[in-house]
Amino acid sequence: NFMLTQPHSVSESPGKTVTISCTGSSGSIASNYVQWYQQRPGSAPTTVIYEDNQRPSGVPDRFSGSIDSSSNSASLTISGLKTEDEADYYCQSYDSSTWVFGGGTKLTVL
Amino acid sequence: EVQLVESGGGLIQPGGSLRLSCAASGFTVSSNYMSWVRQAPGKGLEWVSVIYSGGSTYYADSVKGRFTISRDNSKNTLYLQMNSLRAEDTAVYYCARDSVSGPYWGQGTLVTVSS
């Protein structure tokens, strides 16, 4: 079964840039779109990146997504970090007709 | 404005049944791919099921044979019928619409399976 692996946690200071990785277990991660979700404590997830690198309306351009086929991974980069970016972030892709989630990464902005 | 409102959660004993609803507004449920995703307390997101616009349905292995996804076009509502519930089904259940601008999520409903 296809799996996505994320670091458990990352931390960075306000104003800096952080990158969260999401590595596919098999096949090519570029074969299916990757989405990224932000989940603040006590709230539902929201989409910050869809189709690898597209931002929904209302998501600031500080958020960007990319695919690296050489490492079979996707990345979410957040620049100009703000304290409000502190949240859990999940990557998601597909395996046949099912959704596959990464385990989530807790971003601490301190 | 697009809105998804889940309901139907609550406390249920192991082996019991529950039906979750996801009332949609601002778009047509039957024209979209609609999913259920759950999150156990303190854990990550777990995909549960999807219904395609054409009516095809798919399930996670953990719920196959016990859960059924469906929709009522006249009510513009998505459902998840959950039978033979287990303690490990305890979670917040979210419905999500797969839109052209990425998935849109509801606020979730809590299901607690306990005696």
Side-chain angles (χ1 to χ4, degrees):
Chain A
N1 284 356
F2 180 67
M3 295 192 302
L4 296 170
T5 301
Q6 300 179 235
H8 181 69
S9 63
V10 295
S11 62
E12 190 50 272
S13 303
K16 298 292 189 179
T17 297
V18 70
T19 297
I20 299 172
S21 62
C22 171
T23 303
S25 62
S26 61
S28 171
I29 199 166
S31 298
N32 292 292
Y33 284 131
V34 175
Q35 280 64 235
W36 289 92
Y37 307 111
Q38 177 191 68
Q39 187 177 34
R40 295 190 173 105
S43 296
T46 61
T47 303
V48 292
I49 293 291
Y50 68 98
E51 293 182 359
D52 297 340
N53 55 20
Q54 302 299 304
R55 276 179 291 106
S57 173
V59 174
D61 60 6
R62 301 185 296 106
F63 289 80
S64 63
S66 63
I67 299 292
D68 182 353
S69 297
S70 66
S71 60
N72 206 38
S73 64
S75 293
L76 172 68
T77 298
I78 311 171
S79 60
L81 275 169
K82 300 184 176 184
T83 55
E84 67 204 48
D85 298 331
E86 187 162 290
D88 293 328
Y89 291 85
Y90 295 89
C91 61
Q92 174 261 314
S93 190
Y94 304 91
D95 183 6
S96 297
S97 300
T98 71
W99 288 20
V100 177
F101 287 99
T105 299
K106 181 176 179 59
L107 170 62
T108 301
V109 181
L110 37 63
Chain B
E1 179 191 3
V2 171
Q3 204 169 16
L4 294 169
V5 179
E6 299 95 332
S7 61
L11 176 62
I12 187 76
Q13 290 189 339
S17 297
L18 212 54
R19 189 179 78 159
L20 306 183
S21 300
C22 171
S25 56
F27 71 99
T28 303
V29 164
S30 62
S31 299
N32 287 263
Y33 292 4
M34 299 292 298
S35 292
W36 287 97
V37 175
R38 68 184 180 183
Q39 185 171 36
K43 302 296 185 182
L45 300 173
E46 179 189 15
W47 176 80
V48 173
S49 181
V50 64
I51 183 166
Y52 287 171
S53 51
S56 298
T57 59
Y58 299 89
Y59 300 91
D61 289 343
S62 58
V63 307
K64 202 172 294 182
R66 299 188 299 124
F67 290 12
T68 303
I69 191 171
S70 65
R71 64 193 181 205
D72 185 328
N73 297 344
S74 66
K75 296 182 179 179
N76 207 33
T77 297
L78 177 74
Y79 299 103
L80 185 68
Q81 177 67 44
M82 305 186 296
N83 299 330
S84 303
L85 282 162
R86 307 166 180 168
E88 54 265 34
D89 295 318
T90 294
V92 174
Y93 285 73
Y94 298 100
C95 65
R97 170 203 181 197
D98 217 346
S99 76
V100 293
S101 57
Y104 180 85
W105 300 71
Q107 289 306 301
T109 186
L110 175 63
V111 173
T112 303
V113 184
S114 175
S115 55

